[in-house]
Amino acid sequence: MEYIRALTFEILCQDYNGYRQEGFGKMAMTVGTNGARASTATCYLHPAKRRSNLTILSNALAHRVVFDKTSGSSKPKARGVEFSVSSSR
């Protein structure tokens, strides 16, 4: 960022999803310390795959999340997922 300021670029972009998207700034990346791309599976799925309440299926399509309004709570709680599994891609 200091290098960009030294070159007198006027547009610094702090948030690429914000109001002003053009300019120079730090890129949001999913790269691990070893330089390899960190995928969604690497970051979220692999650490959670040992959980007893998680089943991972290939070729599955989620249709909807099923909610159950618990007594004493104003917010519904997810209790399941309706899905289908296809044998082909």
Side-chain angles (χ1 to χ4, degrees):
M1 299 299 282
E2 293 302 320
Y3 180 73
I4 292 169
R5 286 188 186 97
L7 294 175
T8 65
F9 286 108
E10 293 183 23
I11 301 173
L12 293 175
C13 183
Q14 300 297 329
D15 181 7
Y16 285 101
N17 295 315
Y19 166 72
R20 180 180 238 172
Q21 297 177 349
E22 68 275 356
F24 298 91
K26 294 181 180 179
M27 294 288 296
M29 296 186 194
T30 54
V31 177
T33 55
N34 62 354
R37 179 180 173 270
S39 68
T40 303
T42 303
C43 293
Y44 297 101
L45 191 57
H46 292 299
K49 66 183 176 183
R50 291 187 185 96
R51 291 174 54 171
S52 62
N53 64 345
L54 176 66
T55 302
I56 301 170
L57 299 172
S58 297
N59 301 316
L61 175 66
H63 298 285
R64 75 181 188 114
V65 177
V66 179
F67 290 94
D68 185 19
K69 201 168 196 175
T70 57
S71 61
S73 175
S74 61
K75 295 182 181 179
K77 185 176 181 179
R79 67 173 177 88
V81 177
E82 289 182 2
F83 66 96
S84 60
V85 178
S86 172
S87 59
S88 62
R89 272 191 116 190

